[in-house]
Amino acid sequence: MRLSARLLILRGRSRLPSDPNESERLVKYGERKWRDFQSPVVDPPYWYKWSKDSPYHPVEQQKILKGEYLEWYRYNFHKQKVIPPDAWLFRVGDKVEILTGKDKGKQGDVIQVVQQGNIVVVGSLNCERIKGRDGMLVRQEKPLEHHEVTLLDPKDEKPVDVEFRVNENGQRVRVSVRSGYVIHWPPEILWDGTLKKEYECQDKDTTYENACEKTYKPTLDNWQDELKKIYKISDSPRRETFWY
């Protein structure tokens, strides 16, 4: 251990660790680096090809690290259409009709939405056959672009153009341009399949009343002085200096 500790000093460490456990860790793993404190996952870059799978899945993380979608982005970046969040029309549960592809004209329900990638997945439509884990062929839905599907008019169940309007209650709603009927938003569904309005708060959830409670009292102090008062931190007096 003494020889290993001396080698650590020769490698650039200025002092010996006082904790024996730290000495053993340094001998085994080396000194802590900045990369040891970084997140193990990589955020999706601008050239990432969005799909039904999460970009933080281990398989997708490996594709990002290897840069597998760089060549795809090189030839397809001009085809990407970005839809602003306030212009997004679809939500899980909407009934839509496909406008392109082999299932053109067929209607189905939206089962997945990925706004970052401009993707909509319609249940049991636009499918492809892939090999499953047991080697058998299974059908899997392929994602569609935002402009490749359209909403249906509540009056006649036919494709229609939609615009946003504000109703008498101040809510932003979707309205059919042809008939003027309101296309109501489907109820929001949580990750476990339950309706959002039927969810009951648990012990660790923040209630609506607590979230709306005003706990911050504005002052004329900057944020450093506010933290000093909250945690009762006092600076040591400055040493008197003289200029000659």
Side-chain angles (χ1 to χ4, degrees):
M1 177 58 70
R2 290 182 180 179
L3 179 59
S4 301
R6 295 300 174 187
L7 289 176
L8 288 175
I9 295 178
L10 294 176
R11 289 179 182 177
R13 191 174 179 86
S14 59
R15 63 175 181 83
L16 285 173
S18 57
D19 188 4
N21 296 329
E22 185 182 359
S23 301
E24 296 178 2
R25 184 188 62 78
L26 288 172
V27 172
K28 187 174 182 180
Y29 301 106
E31 194 170 3
R32 288 185 182 272
K33 303 294 183 181
W34 172 248
R35 61 176 177 269
D36 298 332
F37 300 94
Q38 292 180 332
S39 175
V41 298
V42 182
D43 293 330
Y46 67 92
W47 46 262
Y48 177 69
K49 183 180 179 181
W50 289 87
S51 63
K52 295 170 53 178
D53 300 326
S54 172
Y56 300 101
H57 190 274
V59 177
E60 294 296 320
Q61 286 286 301
Q62 290 296 324
K63 292 180 180 180
I64 293 175
L65 294 175
K66 294 179 181 178
E68 291 190 7
Y69 298 124
L70 278 171
E71 197 68 16
W72 169 85
Y73 181 81
R74 178 183 176 185
Y75 295 101
N76 294 275
F77 74 94
H78 60 283
K79 302 178 183 178
Q80 304 302 309
K81 296 183 179 181
V82 180
I83 306 298
D86 57 349
W88 189 266
L89 295 175
F90 308 107
R91 186 183 289 177
V92 175
D94 276 327
K95 191 173 184 180
V96 297
E97 182 173 319
I98 299 179
L99 302 177
T100 59
K102 60 181 180 180
D103 290 334
K104 179 180 179 179
K106 295 184 179 180
Q107 300 178 0
D109 296 330
V110 177
I111 61 174
Q112 186 179 358
V113 167
V114 183
Q115 294 192 24
Q116 299 91 332
N118 191 26
I119 287 175
V120 177
V121 181
V122 183
S124 302
L125 294 178
N126 195 40
C127 297
E128 62 178 350
R129 295 185 181 273
I130 61 173
K131 280 190 176 182
R133 295 182 178 179
D134 53 356
M136 301 292 290
L137 292 177
V138 296
R139 298 178 69 229
Q140 185 179 24
E141 297 91 350
K142 292 193 301 182
L144 294 162
E145 297 287 335
H146 186 278
H147 63 278
E148 294 178 343
V149 295
T150 181
L151 292 169
L152 303 179
D153 196 324
K155 183 178 180 180
D156 52 11
E157 296 294 328
K158 292 183 179 180
V160 68
D161 294 331
V162 178
E163 65 179 4
F164 286 102
R165 297 179 186 175
V166 179
N167 59 10
E168 60 276 3
N169 297 327
Q171 298 176 346
R172 195 162 177 261
V173 296
R174 302 173 296 181
V175 179
S176 170
V177 175
R178 184 174 67 244
S179 64
Y181 277 60
V182 176
I183 305 176
H184 297 283
W185 293 99
E188 294 188 48
I189 301 176
L190 301 178
W191 62 272
D192 56 354
T194 59
L195 296 177
K196 184 177 181 180
K197 61 180 181 181
E198 297 179 357
Y199 179 79
E200 296 181 359
C201 291
Q202 307 298 325
D203 297 337
K204 295 185 178 180
D205 293 336
T206 303
T207 61
Y208 177 79
E209 291 75 15
N210 292 339
C212 295
E213 183 182 357
K214 296 181 180 180
T215 58
Y216 176 71
K217 297 180 180 179
T219 61
L220 297 178
D221 299 331
N222 55 27
W223 64 272
Q224 294 96 333
D225 294 337
E226 287 184 3
L227 291 178
K228 287 180 180 179
K229 292 180 179 179
I230 293 174
Y231 296 103
K232 299 179 180 180
I233 300 175
S234 58
D235 295 333
S236 57
R238 292 186 177 182
R239 188 176 62 178
E240 188 176 1
T241 58
F242 301 93
W243 294 89
Y244 297 96

